[in-house]
Amino acid sequence: MKFHIMTLFPQIIEAYMSESIMKKAEEKGNIEYKTWNIRDYSESKHKKVDDYPYGGGAGMVMTPQPIVSCYNAVVDDLDESLKQDKKPKVIYLTPKGKVFNNDMAIALAKEESLILLCGHYEGVDQRVIDLIVDEEISIGDYVLTGGELPALILIDSISRHVKGVLGHEESLDEESFTNGLLEYPHYTRPEVFMEKEVPKVLLSGHHKNIESWRKLESIKLTMKLRPDLFDYEALSKEDKKLLKKHNVIDK
Ligand code: ADE
């Protein structure tokens, strides 16, 4: 998976990508990324990238020319095979977009490459969206000062679903949002901390009991913290039985 990030602040992207798991993923060759500084493509004398909005109003709008020229440079840089009929999707990060979730991360991880466009100020001229953008994505119902953090959130969550990035892919099956449930609680050493004990079942070595306990906790946690996610009918027969046995639900 290769990410192309079009931004006015490439260093924000570089800072995050050069640490921890993203750094390792790049070193191992599981992901690639390249930042493109939109300002470099401005044809104006002072490398201007924004202007006042037509019709008046607060704030500035990013002008179309530097962004579209930057996009053309990204496309020019693509492998021949991609340039022809597999042009990467262009995603514009905006609070107006579709709210991002785990299923979208999983779907986007199947793409060969993606182009992420980060806005600033009041956003980009609408004609940029009409001309080059395929999808508008928001990371939540709040407004940030720019699209760099949202782009990094997409890159991070998408990369986790790219083979080899985590190195323990099986843990993806159990984590939150897989099967519509939150993940069960985790414990590590010591067995007792500030008088609080690790649940006995986890020390028992009895795999079936541990599995049942984790499933039950996962379901209870989802019902309590994210009732909007919980779908009783989507549970398996065994899970429904488990709930009844532990008096979580009396259906
Ligand atoms: N840019 C500013 N706020 C944003 C948000 N919530 N999601 C995506 N991009 C943004």
Side-chain angles (χ1 to χ4, degrees):
M1 162 67 78
K2 180 160 184 175
F3 299 98
H4 293 273
I5 308 105
M6 295 163 56
T7 168
L8 290 173
F9 300 97
Q11 284 173 340
I12 298 178
I13 306 293
E14 304 286 350
Y16 188 76
M17 296 303 286
S18 55
E19 298 285 344
S20 185
I21 296 183
M22 291 302 106
K23 180 186 179 186
K24 286 202 195 96
E26 199 209 1
E27 284 172 354
K28 286 190 286 182
N30 300 126
I31 62 165
E32 286 177 78
Y33 77 98
K34 184 163 177 178
T35 54
W36 299 78
N37 192 337
I38 294 168
R39 195 176 295 280
D40 292 345
Y41 297 89
S42 172
E43 287 166 7
S44 81
K45 214 161 77 191
H46 301 291
K47 295 274 171 206
K48 229 172 116 68
V49 289
D50 61 339
D51 215 325
Y52 296 100
Y54 278 123
M60 303 291 269
V61 176
M62 286 175 73
T63 53
Q65 178 277 313
I67 300 174
V68 172
S69 298
C70 180
Y71 169 71
N72 289 337
V74 177
V75 173
D76 269 354
D77 188 57
L78 295 173
D79 289 346
E80 281 309 315
S81 62
L82 287 178
K83 258 186 231 180
Q84 302 301 326
D85 43 21
K86 281 197 288 173
K87 276 230 188 92
K89 271 198 178 117
V90 178
I91 297 174
Y92 173 45
L93 287 313
T94 165
K96 294 181 201 166
K98 181 172 173 197
V99 179
F100 191 58
N101 63 27
N102 209 46
D103 290 341
M104 287 158 78
I106 292 168
L108 289 171
K110 300 195 168 84
E111 299 286 325
E112 207 166 309
S113 47
L114 290 169
I115 302 174
L116 305 176
L117 169 60
C118 307
H120 256 267
Y121 319 114
E122 289 307 305
V124 302
D125 186 301
Q126 180 61 35
R127 288 163 294 184
V128 169
I129 299 169
D130 299 342
L131 287 166
I132 66 166
V133 170
D134 298 300
E135 272 185 50
E136 294 175 78
I137 294 183
S138 163
I139 56 153
D141 291 341
Y142 41 83
V143 182
L144 299 168
T145 55
E148 285 74 18
L149 285 176
L152 285 168
I153 285 170
L154 257 68
I155 294 171
D156 189 301
S157 57
I158 292 169
S159 299
R160 297 179 73 257
H161 295 282
V162 171
K163 208 168 165 14
V165 168
L166 293 183
H168 49 92
E169 264 75 26
E170 70 281 5
S171 70
L172 284 171
D173 297 336
E174 296 202 335
E175 71 179 9
S176 293
F177 309 114
T178 315
N179 325 315
L181 295 173
L182 299 181
E183 196 174 7
Y184 50 80
H186 297 280
Y187 293 87
T188 184
R189 267 181 267 273
E191 261 181 59
V192 183
F193 181 70
M194 294 177 79
E195 294 175 17
K196 288 194 160 293
E197 289 178 18
V198 172
K200 287 273 174 294
V201 62
L202 298 180
L203 311 173
S204 68
H206 192 300
H207 294 299
K208 262 220 126 22
N209 288 353
I210 293 173
E211 203 185 304
S212 296
W213 180 87
R214 284 180 165 165
K215 187 46 103 46
L216 193 64
E217 290 305 307
S218 203
I219 294 172
K220 286 200 292 191
L221 208 58
T222 311
M223 289 169 74
K224 183 169 163 219
L225 299 181
R226 292 296 303 272
D228 56 309
L229 285 182
F230 184 64
D231 178 6
Y232 177 80
E233 293 311 326
L235 295 176
S236 68
K237 243 191 182 146
E238 292 77 57
D239 291 349
K240 287 179 183 167
K241 254 198 226 154
L242 192 67
L243 290 190
K244 204 166 152 54
K245 183 172 154 202
H246 289 86
N247 294 320
V248 178
I249 253 168
D250 46 39
K251 281 197 215 183

